[in-house]
């Protein structure tokens, strides 16, 4: 058993919903073996209020959450990333910074809670559905035998996880 802690960066264009939920979930589900971070190419400057409310209701720490640029994680002195996952289709198509250390990358697309239509209750329900999809993916990720997989096998598993269709909300 290794004591290694893996750093994981979740990217989304605005860093206000999916990437923030993934960061929080990994920090909880990873049980100290993983440290999650999130960022965006064009951060909105705020966390989606439905995401913030859901995270608070579920007991996640939210005081330190903020929408931030991915440039923070490409700068000298930034934490070394072992994995970088895009969680929205827009971010997957953008030219990302060069991440020091050549982290393993994959695209794990999820529906955008910020695009939810309807009443406040419907928007909150949509956000909770997407949260559940992200949670299942994070649980599968943290259960991978990372230390025993070679780089190619691990990359294939991560890509396969991204291809697994999320249940439509």
């Amino acid at each position: 058993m290794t004591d290694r802690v893996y750093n994981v960066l979740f990217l989304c264009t605005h860093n206000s919903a999916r990437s923030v939920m993934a960061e929080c979930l990994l920090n909880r589900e990873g049980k100290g073996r993983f440290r999650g971070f999130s960022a965006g190419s064009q951060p909105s400057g705020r966390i989606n209020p439905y995401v913030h409310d859901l995270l608070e209701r579920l007991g996640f720490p939210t005081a330190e959450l903020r929408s931030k640029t991915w440039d923070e994680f490409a700068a000298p002195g930034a934490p070394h990333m072992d994995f970088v996952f895009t969680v929205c289709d827009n971010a997957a198509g953008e030219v990302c910074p060069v991440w020091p250390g050549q982290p393993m990358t994959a695209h794990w697309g999820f529906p955008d809670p910020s695009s939810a239509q309807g009443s406040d209750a419907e928007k909150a329900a949509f956000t909770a559905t997407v949260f559940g999809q992200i949670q299942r993916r994070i649980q599968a990720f943290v259960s991978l035998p990372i230390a025993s997989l070679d780089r190619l096998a691990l990359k294939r598993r991560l890509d396969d996880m991204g291809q697994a269709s999320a249940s439509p909300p």
Side-chain angles (χ1 to χ4, degrees), residues 11-12 18 84-94 104-110 137 155 157-164:
L11 300 176
C12 202
R18 292 164 285 189
V84 176
F85 299 126
T86 53
V87 293
C88 76
D89 293 335
N90 288 343
E94 293 176 340
M104 183 84 48
T105 62
H107 174 61
W108 293 352
F110 297 98
R137 188 79 47 89
K155 175 68 173 150
R157 298 278 290 269
L158 296 173
D159 287 341
D160 288 349
M161 290 170 69
Q163 295 299 317

Side-chain angles (χ1 to χ4, degrees), residues 85-156:
F85 299 126
T86 53
V87 293
C88 76
D89 293 335
N90 288 343
E94 293 176 340
V95 177
C96 293
V98 175
W99 306 110
Q102 299 179 321
M104 183 84 48
T105 62
H107 174 61
W108 293 352
F110 297 98
D112 185 3
S114 299
S115 70
Q117 301 293 311
S119 68
D120 285 346
E122 290 168 321
K123 291 176 184 177
F126 185 87
T127 299
T129 298
V130 174
F131 178 89
Q133 293 170 354
I134 295 170
Q135 184 174 36
R136 286 187 292 281
R137 188 79 47 89
I138 296 293
Q139 288 169 338
F141 173 63
V142 301
S143 70
L144 287 174
I146 292 172
S148 66
L149 293 172
D150 66 51
R151 192 165 174 87
L152 184 60
L154 180 56
K155 175 68 173 150
R156 189 171 31 252

Side-chain angles (χ1 to χ4, degrees), residues 24 28 47-65 131:
C24 290
R28 179 177 284 178
I47 304 301
N48 176 298
Y50 297 98
V51 169
H52 189 271
D53 290 348
L54 176 64
L55 292 171
E56 279 200 337
R57 217 172 38 253
L58 295 173
F60 287 88
T62 59
E64 301 296 318
L65 293 179
F131 178 89

Side-chain angles (χ1 to χ4, degrees), residues 6-12 15 18-20 22-24 26-27 34-41 66 68-75 78-88 91 96-100 103-108 138 141 158:
Y6 296 99
N7 288 332
V8 181
L9 178 60
F10 296 98
L11 300 176
C12 202
N15 188 221
R18 292 164 285 189
S19 53
V20 172
E23 172 187 1
C24 290
L26 183 65
N27 285 329
F34 296 88
R35 187 175 9 217
F37 301 91
S38 68
S41 59
R66 63 185 176 86
K68 58 203 157 299
T69 179
W70 62 19
D71 294 335
E72 288 185 28
F73 296 96
H80 166 81
M81 293 300 153
D82 298 293
F83 299 93
V84 176
F85 299 126
T86 53
V87 293
C88 76
C96 293
V98 175
W99 306 110
M104 183 84 48
T105 62
H107 174 61
W108 293 352
I138 296 293
F141 173 63
L158 296 173

